[in-house]
Amino acid sequence: MTWNPTTGCDKISAGCKFCYAEIMSRRLQAMGVEKYKDNFEVRMHEDALNIPYTWKNSKVVFVNSMSDLFHNDIPLEFIQKVFKVMNENPQHIFQVLTKRADRLSELHNELKWTHNIWMGVSVENEKVKDRIDFLRETNAKVKFLSCEPLIGPLQNLNLEKIHWAIVGGESGRKTRPMKESWVWDIRQQCADQGVAFFFKQWGGTNKKKSGRELGGRTYDEMPVPMVVESLDSSYYQ
Ligand code: SF4
């Protein structure tokens, strides 16, 4: 399930090269969808803020699949509104992913971090490993890495205070290859440091065909035990 209280972004690192959100925004604009009339310009959508209150059952929600919540053009006041919605809907798990880990680090003390907010940073290659350090120091209760699209090796990862790592290759018409050895290396580092490991896909031009098995099995670990331990009673209300 996705929820997009903001839309639009611009490219910040190598992982953005074939940005899915940019391609989709262009298509949605061409189809005349009002929310995307400004294509990929950063926009805030006040009317989208009430959507999570209307969902009947608990959901796992990917926040801002079409944007980056910590983009510089999104004021703190709006980010706080998005957090208020997440705070007031503890029945849902909200996964927020950013490449602007430096801004996340600047603002995290101004935000209320309930247990249902899982905060992640994208780490596609060695150059952006410092995003993990920014994430580590935040007040987020659940912290994860999205190593997708993985376009280079990630060695000597410090996974202290990190609960979950997702790894995946790039998919689409043009893709950059992911070496199997890079994936195994991350898997081993997760095992050594007690971090849940989720292998999402090999990607490529036919991601269904390439599948998501690693060494003949799938890896679907989730940071759930840690989350259950840390829940307070309000989570269930
Ligand atoms: S940060 Fe995310 S949404 Fe923004 S351009 Fe990069 S890949 Fe696209």
Side-chain angles (χ1 to χ4, degrees):
M1 181 109 208
T2 57
W3 172 46
N4 283 292
T6 73
T7 54
C9 194
D10 46 44
K11 293 179 178 174
I12 186 170
S13 64
C16 300
K17 187 171 182 184
F18 301 118
C19 174
Y20 163 88
E22 184 183 28
I23 296 163
M24 280 305 295
S25 293
R26 206 178 302 132
R27 278 190 206 156
L28 292 164
Q29 183 194 40
M31 287 161 63
V33 178
E34 173 68 17
K35 199 171 179 182
Y36 297 93
K37 66 179 169 34
D38 297 322
N39 195 357
F40 205 41
E41 297 297 312
V42 175
R43 295 289 179 262
M44 283 138 273
H45 303 279
E46 294 273 349
D47 56 342
L49 290 172
N50 65 347
I51 294 173
Y53 297 92
T54 67
W55 296 326
K56 292 210 167 50
N57 302 318
S58 294
K59 312 248 181 250
V60 177
V61 186
F62 184 42
V63 181
N64 276 349
S65 61
M66 300 296 286
S67 182
D68 185 333
L69 187 60
F70 289 91
H71 192 288
N72 265 332
D73 291 351
I74 301 173
L76 172 61
E77 292 68 32
F78 193 82
I79 298 173
Q80 285 170 324
K81 285 183 187 179
V82 173
F83 268 67
K84 184 166 182 282
V85 174
M86 299 192 286
N87 299 149
E88 291 178 355
N89 284 277
Q91 71 279 21
H92 306 312
I93 289 174
F94 293 92
Q95 298 176 344
V96 183
L97 180 64
T98 188
K99 286 188 173 69
R100 274 88 179 171
D102 48 350
R103 186 149 190 253
L104 163 69
S105 166
E106 271 168 38
L107 302 185
H108 79 107
N109 277 323
E110 310 292 330
L111 303 168
K112 185 177 171 190
W113 294 95
T114 40
H115 291 91
N116 62 325
I117 301 171
W118 297 13
M119 187 67 229
V121 294
S122 301
V123 189
E124 66 265 30
N125 61 19
E126 291 277 346
K127 277 191 186 159
V128 293
K129 262 177 24 179
D130 63 340
R131 290 176 187 162
I132 306 172
D133 299 323
F134 285 121
L135 174 66
R136 191 186 342 274
E137 299 311 322
T138 67
N139 296 330
K141 302 284 190 297
V142 180
K143 303 182 178 87
F144 69 96
L145 310 182
S146 173
C147 307
E148 185 187 23
L150 185 64
I151 53 174
L154 288 174
Q155 291 171 334
N156 303 316
L157 291 171
N158 174 1
L159 299 176
E160 194 187 347
K161 298 189 191 165
I162 304 298
H163 306 105
W164 193 32
I166 303 164
V167 175
E170 193 156 54
S171 56
R173 279 195 301 134
K174 292 181 197 162
T175 61
R176 290 163 285 182
M178 175 175 69
K179 285 191 181 168
E180 186 170 344
S181 59
W182 302 343
V183 183
W184 280 118
D185 190 30
I186 298 171
R187 160 68 192 149
Q188 191 58 48
Q189 293 181 72
C190 286
D192 292 346
Q193 298 183 58
V195 174
F197 174 81
F198 188 100
F199 183 57
K200 191 166 155 193
Q201 61 174 19
W202 285 106
T205 50
N206 186 346
K207 65 179 181 180
K208 276 196 183 143
K209 194 171 168 210
S210 58
R212 51 185 307 271
E213 283 195 1
L214 176 65
R217 58 159 287 194
T218 54
Y219 288 85
D220 297 315
E221 294 165 10
M222 300 286 286
V224 174
M226 192 281 312
V227 177
V228 171
E229 276 168 26
S230 64
L231 292 181
D232 59 33
S233 59
S234 66
Y235 191 87
Y236 300 102
Q237 288 165 11

